[in-house]
Amino acid sequence: MTTILITTAAGETGRPMVDHLLKEGFHVRAMVRTDDERAQRLRDKGAEVVFGDLLNFRDVRTALKGVRRAYFNYPVGEGLVEAAVMFAQAAREQNLEYVVNMSHIQSRPDARSKATQNHWLAEQVFDWSGVPTTHLRITFFTQWLLYISGLIRYGRYVMPFDAESRFAPITGHDIALTAAKLFAEPAEHIGRALTLTGPVEYSHEELAAEVGRVLGRDLPFERVTVATFLELIGIPDDIAKLKHFEAVTIDQQEGRLAGVTDTARRITGQSLQTVEDFIDEHRSLFELPYVTRAA
């Protein structure tokens, strides 16, 4: 039985990827940082759970021992290129058949965002390593809406981006299913960078209106500074995200996240989740648990 390692297995793409691969009959090794409730849920589903840090070479080597295919994902923050080097080296030592690498849609060598530039460098690392790899260049996740779900409950739709900047949000579920299909039949996509978007492009203002329509209330778009946004969502001291989001604001103004591709739909053979699907799935997070009445 082929063993597949899923890094960040408790995350928005890792969790559903584990589910899909287990259903396909693979042995799944789920790499997480801590032994908590999320790790236990992965065990309960049938995954082999291992603990480690992607910036610890010993941990990475141990996690990849006996693995044939692997998903590499790294959060926004310092250390991505170093982690990619470690992962690629350990993958070479294990003679891995295939790696799926998570990247950014606007990946390029002259990116303003260090995080985005580092994703481009990580792509080069895997290509240089000779390990068969597919890069997934992803647009904004629909999960961005969860950042502000607490604000939406009280009628505020707040983002740090221009109202007219356009993108086609994609759910973590659809990214995970796409990767799972690639793991099942990797040959066609080895050596390629695939751009994944959701099914419908919106401006940020249009997306606010769509969320409001689904929830049945008015949600006017409100733009704030990146610093204010991070304060509102409870991570005011996250400097890496501050710098990244400020740079992505310019990327969006330049249209680098605009457009729609059918890559995910074609690979999965399924319709992609819409914003309405996503809101309905997580509706309790966007609505107050009681009815408010005017005085």
Side-chain angles (χ1 to χ4, degrees):
M1 183 183 296
T2 299
T3 297
I4 300 178
L5 174 72
I6 304 300
T7 61
T8 61
E12 296 296 343
T13 59
R15 290 194 313 273
M17 204 178 302
V18 169
D19 291 341
H20 292 312
L21 292 171
L22 287 171
K23 289 176 183 176
E24 292 295 322
F26 291 101
H27 178 260
V28 178
R29 182 175 295 168
M31 185 177 183
V32 297
R33 291 291 300 270
T34 57
D35 192 358
D36 56 16
E37 292 180 0
R38 296 179 302 172
Q40 186 57 49
R41 284 195 291 270
L42 292 168
R43 286 194 198 93
D44 292 343
K45 292 175 180 179
E48 173 196 358
V49 176
V50 297
F51 306 99
D53 184 342
L54 287 172
L55 287 173
N56 183 309
F57 192 35
R58 180 179 296 177
D59 289 350
V60 172
R61 275 178 155 170
T62 299
L64 282 171
K65 189 173 182 180
V67 165
R68 303 309 305 137
R69 301 171 192 174
Y71 172 60
F72 178 78
N73 183 29
Y74 195 87
V76 173
E78 296 295 329
L80 168 57
V81 177
E82 183 180 2
V85 170
M86 293 181 186
F87 203 89
Q89 175 60 32
R92 284 189 63 181
E93 292 172 0
Q94 289 295 320
N95 195 29
L96 254 66
E97 299 172 345
Y98 187 52
V99 168
V100 174
N101 168 46
M102 172 73 83
S103 189
H104 286 174
I105 191 172
Q106 70 275 31
S107 171
R108 63 196 191 280
D110 60 347
R112 291 180 178 85
S113 163
K114 183 178 179 182
T116 297
Q117 184 182 68
N118 284 348
H119 272 290
W120 183 84
L121 289 170
E123 292 178 14
Q124 311 316 302
V125 167
F126 282 108
D127 291 345
W128 297 339
S129 74
V131 176
T133 302
T134 298
H135 309 293
L136 298 183
R137 291 182 172 174
I138 312 295
T139 190
F140 279 173
F141 285 27
T142 315
Q143 273 78 1
W144 264 81
L145 295 173
L146 297 181
Y147 286 170
I148 60 168
S149 61
L151 297 171
I152 289 173
R153 284 184 175 191
Y154 292 94
R156 293 185 69 188
Y157 188 103
V158 181
M159 280 289 164
F161 306 118
D162 291 345
E164 65 273 16
S165 294
R166 305 190 68 80
F167 68 110
I170 187 170
T171 65
H173 170 275
D174 285 328
I175 297 166
L177 180 56
T178 302
K181 295 293 186 182
L182 294 177
F183 280 124
E185 298 182 11
E188 179 185 349
H189 301 287
I190 288 173
R192 298 180 62 192
L194 305 176
T195 300
L196 303 188
T197 75
V200 180
E201 182 187 76
Y202 300 91
S203 70
H204 284 283
E205 190 169 37
E206 290 169 348
L207 183 55
E210 174 64 4
V211 173
R213 182 193 69 78
V214 175
L215 293 173
R217 54 193 143 103
D218 187 35
L219 276 179
F221 175 82
E222 178 184 349
R223 185 183 181 186
V224 296
T225 66
V226 173
T228 298
F229 179 74
L230 294 179
E231 185 173 350
L232 285 170
I233 65 174
I235 50 172
D237 300 321
D238 194 327
I239 302 303
K241 285 190 175 63
L242 174 71
K243 293 180 178 178
H244 176 59
F245 294 170
E246 287 177 342
V248 171
T249 297
I250 300 174
D251 285 346
Q252 289 191 92
Q253 291 168 348
E254 294 176 345
R256 295 184 184 275
L257 281 79
V260 177
T261 72
D262 71 345
T263 306
R265 183 200 58 76
R266 179 170 45 81
I267 290 172
T268 63
Q270 299 181 16
S271 297
L272 304 185
Q273 289 186 310
T274 64
V275 169
E276 183 170 2
D277 294 334
F278 183 81
I279 294 294
D280 285 341
E281 182 180 349
H282 300 280
R283 186 171 284 269
S284 64
L285 299 176
F286 296 98
E287 295 182 333
L288 291 168
Y290 52 85
V291 176
T292 58
R293 288 185 169 84

